Amino acid sequence: MAREHFHPFIPYRPVRYPEAEMVTRGREFYEHMDLRRSVRFFSDEPVPRECVELAVRTANTAPSGAHQQPWKFAVIGDPETRRRIREAAEIEERQNYEGGRLTPEWRTALAHLETGSDKGYLETVPWLVVCFAEKYGVRPDGTRVKHYYVNESVGIACGFFIAALHAMGLSTLTHTPNPMAFLTGICGRPGNERPYILFPIGYAAADAEVPDLVRKPLSEAMV
Ligand code: IYR
């Protein structure tokens, strides 16, 4: 559905904090975000649907090109659909890892993560969320609406989504099976929506491990 509305301007007065409090808040948020890790070992414990809804609500607050909000989050809870998604993802990943579709450079870049074609976590987790990017909008009469900065907009929304899950103590992984067009069919989405990221969502397994990564220092992240 295309959104082509006129928005009148209204006052906006964001909260201001004393400088010391700004720094405290910024540090607390940074330290909280720095604890987030991508997880590949999940518990099958159920997660309230409301938590997933809150993460989508948060993603939906993201800025977007021309406020076109070119995202759609498909939420999947039923085991049969999760099984089908795992099966299809593993077919693609076997092409990547065992069928030689990953270039040698790509393989080298991934080696330290110990990833492989087994995507068992797609069935373990209670929820899968597929974020779709709306390449263009569709008016009720079927004509197309051009969308601007789709990748930037959807990427930001996914960042908000990941941060919201982390704030609730949930874990996820930005899984991008390659190619992932199969998700359009399984999720029953229309042709203007392109699969963007597949998020398995759940609690990290009690014995989950992550690679001992080091984030690059501020001196390299900022110029
Ligand atoms: N999509 C593949 C390969 C992969 C690619 C990147 I970039 C990663 O950070 C991890 C894996 C897979 O999911 O196995």
PDB file of all heavy atoms in Angstrom, residues 61 66 113 139 151 155 191:
ATOM      1  N   THR A  61       9.794   2.851  13.758  1.00  0.00           N
ATOM      2  CA  THR A  61      10.026   4.270  14.080  1.00  0.00           C
ATOM      3  C   THR A  61      11.225   4.823  13.318  1.00  0.00           C
ATOM      4  O   THR A  61      11.579   5.995  13.474  1.00  0.00           O
ATOM      5  CB  THR A  61      10.290   4.475  15.593  1.00  0.00           C
ATOM      6  OG1 THR A  61      11.558   3.904  15.944  1.00  0.00           O
ATOM      7  CG2 THR A  61       9.178   3.895  16.458  1.00  0.00           C
ATOM      8  N   ALA A  66      11.979  10.042   2.197  1.00  0.00           N
ATOM      9  CA  ALA A  66      10.665  10.622   1.901  1.00  0.00           C
ATOM     10  C   ALA A  66       9.557  10.029   2.773  1.00  0.00           C
ATOM     11  O   ALA A  66       8.384  10.027   2.394  1.00  0.00           O
ATOM     12  CB  ALA A  66      10.322  10.479   0.414  1.00  0.00           C
ATOM     13  N   LEU A 113      34.627 -17.288  11.766  1.00  0.00           N
ATOM     14  CA  LEU A 113      33.286 -17.372  12.360  1.00  0.00           C
ATOM     15  C   LEU A 113      32.798 -18.813  12.445  1.00  0.00           C
ATOM     16  O   LEU A 113      31.786 -19.098  13.086  1.00  0.00           O
ATOM     17  CB  LEU A 113      32.291 -16.536  11.550  1.00  0.00           C
ATOM     18  CG  LEU A 113      32.579 -15.038  11.475  1.00  0.00           C
ATOM     19  CD1 LEU A 113      31.570 -14.357  10.549  1.00  0.00           C
ATOM     20  CD2 LEU A 113      32.547 -14.387  12.848  1.00  0.00           C
ATOM     21  N   ARG A 139       0.037   1.514  -5.555  1.00  0.00           N
ATOM     22  CA  ARG A 139      -1.216   2.217  -5.208  1.00  0.00           C
ATOM     23  C   ARG A 139      -2.389   1.241  -5.313  1.00  0.00           C
ATOM     24  O   ARG A 139      -2.285   0.218  -5.991  1.00  0.00           O
ATOM     25  CB  ARG A 139      -1.454   3.388  -6.163  1.00  0.00           C
ATOM     26  CG  ARG A 139      -0.415   4.494  -6.049  1.00  0.00           C
ATOM     27  CD  ARG A 139      -0.849   5.736  -6.834  1.00  0.00           C
ATOM     28  NE  ARG A 139       0.240   6.706  -6.887  1.00  0.00           N
ATOM     29  CZ  ARG A 139       1.202   6.708  -7.816  1.00  0.00           C
ATOM     30  NH1 ARG A 139       1.220   5.797  -8.774  1.00  0.00           N
ATOM     31  NH2 ARG A 139       2.156   7.625  -7.772  1.00  0.00           N
ATOM     32  N   ASN A 151      17.523   0.899   0.496  1.00  0.00           N
ATOM     33  CA  ASN A 151      18.524   0.152   1.285  1.00  0.00           C
ATOM     34  C   ASN A 151      18.893   0.864   2.575  1.00  0.00           C
ATOM     35  O   ASN A 151      18.993   0.238   3.632  1.00  0.00           O
ATOM     36  CB  ASN A 151      19.794  -0.084   0.470  1.00  0.00           C
ATOM     37  CG  ASN A 151      19.735  -1.414  -0.249  1.00  0.00           C
ATOM     38  OD1 ASN A 151      19.304  -2.411   0.318  1.00  0.00           O
ATOM     39  ND2 ASN A 151      20.149  -1.419  -1.502  1.00  0.00           N
ATOM     40  N   GLY A 155      17.878  -0.697   6.118  1.00  0.00           N
ATOM     41  CA  GLY A 155      19.029  -1.012   6.966  1.00  0.00           C
ATOM     42  C   GLY A 155      18.915  -0.347   8.326  1.00  0.00           C
ATOM     43  O   GLY A 155      19.195  -0.978   9.366  1.00  0.00           O
ATOM     44  N   GLY A 191       5.519  -9.269  -5.369  1.00  0.00           N
ATOM     45  CA  GLY A 191       6.742  -9.089  -6.146  1.00  0.00           C
ATOM     46  C   GLY A 191       7.485  -7.790  -5.915  1.00  0.00           C
ATOM     47  O   GLY A 191       8.664  -7.670  -6.280  1.00  0.00           O
TER      48      GLY A 191
END
